[in-house]
Amino acid sequence: MDFMAELAELAMASRLRRLSDTYWQAVTTIYRESGLDFEVKWATVFILIVRQGPISVMDIADRLGITHPGVIQVVNELVQRGLITSEKSGKDSRKRLLSLSPAGEAMVPKLQPLWDAFVAVNREMLTNQTHNLLQSLQEMEDQLAQKPFVNRVRDQLNTPNHD
């Protein structure tokens, strides 16, 4: 028996991390087998720049719901690898806009078939589930947006029936 499965709700974060690690390792393997020097952690930021065009770090953080420092780290790596460029905004010189570099543009047609395959495999797996994982994740995220986990735990600890 899988001990984390046995722990159920207690190990939920660990199980999500394990699932994430499984995906990251598989996707990394596919990138390497395809001869692409591309990191899994870059994908959401890179895809947003591909789809959005020039965009600021703050807009990326807002759109992805991740921290500004987290975006900066990925952006710095993408700039360092020559896949994106960072230019001052014409409207606001304090703001920097991120765009694909020529190397980034050349990478997209190589990545797109892989991304299409990832989508197809995930769709197939989601179709075979009793409960759609993406829907369930959205529902959990919505609940946490209404009331953060830490507040829920504090409330639970402060209830009279808590032992």
Side-chain angles (χ1 to χ4, degrees), residues 7-8 13 19 21-22 34 36 41 47 49 53 67 73 75 82 88 97 101 112 116 126 129 132 135 147 150 153:
L7 290 175
L19 180 62
D21 288 348
T22 298
S34 299
L36 297 176
K41 65 182 172 178
I47 292 167
I49 294 169
T67 65
Q73 180 183 354
V75 163
K88 284 185 181 177
L97 293 178
S101 68
Q112 193 62 57
D116 292 344
L126 289 166
Q129 292 180 340
N132 182 300
Q135 272 184 300
K147 184 175 183 180
V150 67
V153 172

Side-chain angles (χ1 to χ4, degrees), residues 29-83:
T29 298
I30 297 299
Y31 286 148
R32 298 298 171 263
E33 287 176 356
S34 299
L36 297 176
D37 184 19
F38 195 80
E39 299 293 328
V40 179
K41 65 182 172 178
W42 302 341
T44 53
V45 170
F46 189 78
I47 292 167
L48 183 55
I49 294 169
V50 167
R51 292 186 180 179
Q52 182 78 34
I55 188 170
S56 72
V57 169
M58 287 304 288
D59 289 339
I60 291 172
D62 288 345
R63 292 282 308 275
L64 297 178
I66 57 179
T67 65
H68 184 268
V71 173
I72 291 287
Q73 180 183 354
V74 170
V75 163
N76 287 342
E77 290 178 22
L78 286 165
V79 167
Q80 195 172 34
R81 292 292 174 97
L83 296 175

Side-chain angles (χ1 to χ4, degrees), residues 27 34 54 68 77 82 114 128 137:
V27 170
S34 299
H68 184 268
E77 290 178 22
L114 304 181
N128 292 324
L137 286 172

Side-chain angles (χ1 to χ4, degrees), residues 83-103:
L83 296 175
I84 65 170
T85 60
S86 175
E87 312 257 336
K88 284 185 181 177
S89 169
K91 296 176 184 172
D92 181 350
S93 62
R94 296 167 299 166
K95 194 180 216 181
R96 303 206 54 88
L97 293 178
L98 307 168
S99 303
L100 290 182
S101 68

